[in-house]
Amino acid sequence: MKRILSTALMVLAMAAAHAGEPTEKDAIAMVEKGAAYIKQHGKDKFIEKVAAKDPEFIQGALYVDIRDLQTGIVLAHPVNPTIVGKDLTDVPDASGKKYRREIIELAAKKGKGWVDYMYKNPTTGKIEPKTTYIQRVGDAVLEAGIYKK
């Protein structure tokens, strides 16, 4: 009985720890919110919002960033502004995958979808598996990802 209770408490604790973590639906919703914002206010205003870390587009480990579809240059990134203005298209992740190239190709061919890769989680500081939802909006690509557990 004690073991069952202990196991049940452990499961509840794990569920509570993961309850606040973003889901795939949250990532899609954030990208779609960004796309709607661009359509209403323009890409430049959206870039300003992302760069300013507007809470509408950054919520803990979930955030949206934007890159140019043609050049791959990062236009705005709320967590790592040092990569803004850079073309990191062919820089691989920790496992050697050129995921940014995959993001651009997916956006150009299908307009939206998911890309998996390894990335530094801003809340844990560790390299972790991540899946990112991308969507092309005109000549830009919006991206929002979640860390897999």
Side-chain angles (χ1 to χ4, degrees):
M1 182 68 173
K2 189 175 184 180
R3 186 174 183 179
I4 292 171
L5 183 59
S6 177
T7 303
L9 288 173
M10 185 169 40
V11 169
L12 286 172
M14 288 173 57
H18 293 292
E21 292 182 12
T23 67
E24 288 181 355
K25 286 182 182 179
D26 296 328
I28 292 169
M30 185 169 283
V31 166
E32 289 177 347
K33 185 188 300 184
Y37 189 91
I38 289 172
K39 289 173 184 168
Q40 186 173 5
H41 303 283
K43 182 173 73 174
D44 292 340
K45 291 285 186 191
F46 180 72
I47 289 170
E48 289 175 16
K49 277 202 160 285
V50 171
K53 299 183 180 190
D54 187 297
E56 192 173 3
F57 298 109
I58 180 170
Q59 297 163 3
L62 180 65
Y63 57 86
V64 65
D65 62 87
I66 180 171
R67 79 177 63 244
D68 183 87
L69 177 64
Q70 302 304 316
T71 65
I73 292 173
V74 179
L75 302 174
H77 197 291
V79 175
N80 190 0
T82 63
I83 64 174
V84 173
K86 296 180 181 175
D87 177 4
L88 304 172
T89 305
D90 292 316
V91 175
D93 70 358
S95 69
K97 181 177 183 176
K98 293 182 180 178
Y99 70 93
R100 294 175 183 101
R101 169 77 50 205
E102 187 176 329
I103 287 170
I104 291 168
E105 290 172 358
L106 179 62
K109 290 177 185 170
K110 295 187 177 178
K112 60 184 172 182
W114 291 93
V115 175
D116 296 331
Y117 55 97
M118 302 295 289
Y119 202 75
K120 184 176 181 179
N121 185 327
T123 58
T124 67
K126 297 177 183 176
I127 302 292
E128 298 177 8
K130 186 173 186 177
T131 188
T132 291
Y133 183 73
I134 65 99
Q135 182 176 332
R136 182 179 68 219
V137 181
D139 63 353
V141 183
L142 303 185
E143 309 167 15
I146 60 168
Y147 291 89
K148 298 179 176 182
K149 296 296 172 193

